[in-house]
Amino acid sequence: MQFTSTIVLAILSAVAAAAPTTAAAAAAADCNAAHTACRAAAVTNEDIIACDSVQTQCVGACLQAQTVCAFAPDANMSFCAAEYVGCSGLDIKTLQDCEVQNNDCIYAPDANMSFCASEKAKCAGFCDAAYDDCRVAPDANMSFCASKYANCLGYNPF
């Protein structure tokens, strides 16, 4: 699981580098804290949009690291979930399969369907990448990989 911790640290370093240069943003320990600090320092709408974009990228990278962790042989799902929460700063209930996330998005008040479709595609892309990595791993168990893939997507694609 050391690999996942290394990914998380790299993600947070990249977010700190991409976020507006404020002391509060630099001190932030996770995506959500960095986003809050960034928005507090924002002056224009463009600054706010940049903060939101950086947070989306950061949380996406955390989700990708969590997916890699969860697809590893003998993965400890509690550990993987805790790593995701520590990286993203989001509540564990946000760690849901792609279908649940999509439903939450499209049924939210003032939902932006284009954004929801984009997020669903991004989520499915993470699942696809993790599935591909699982299948090519040494001594890969194809049933295990398929099960994890279906769980990630939120439905059985087979």
Side-chain angles (χ1 to χ4, degrees), residues 5-153:
S5 297
T6 303
I7 292 172
V8 170
L9 290 174
I11 292 165
L12 291 175
S13 297
V15 168
T21 54
T22 66
D30 58 54
C31 300
N32 197 43
H35 181 251
T36 301
C38 183
R39 293 218 31 171
V43 177
T44 66
N45 284 339
E46 289 79 18
D47 292 341
I48 292 171
I49 291 168
C51 293
D52 293 349
S53 176
V54 168
Q55 184 201 31
T56 298
Q57 291 171 10
C58 180
V59 172
C62 294
L63 180 59
Q64 187 171 19
Q66 187 279 334
T67 303
V68 168
C69 179
F71 272 82
D74 301 321
N76 178 329
M77 296 306 166
S78 296
F79 175 82
C80 296
E83 288 285 300
Y84 171 78
V85 171
C87 175
S88 68
L90 302 175
D91 190 279
I92 191 64
K93 69 184 175 188
T94 63
L95 187 57
Q96 303 165 335
D97 63 54
C98 297
E99 284 301 305
V100 171
Q101 289 178 29
N102 185 57
N103 288 339
D104 288 350
C105 185
I106 63 175
Y107 294 115
D110 300 323
N112 179 327
M113 294 304 152
S114 295
F115 174 78
C116 295
S118 165
E119 290 298 301
K120 183 177 180 182
K122 188 185 321 178
C123 184
F126 294 142
C127 296
D128 292 344
Y131 178 56
D132 290 342
D133 289 346
C134 182
R135 291 184 306 155
V136 299
D139 300 321
N141 178 329
M142 296 304 161
S143 296
F144 172 79
C145 295
S147 170
K148 290 289 194 178
Y149 182 55
N151 189 42
C152 183
L153 291 173

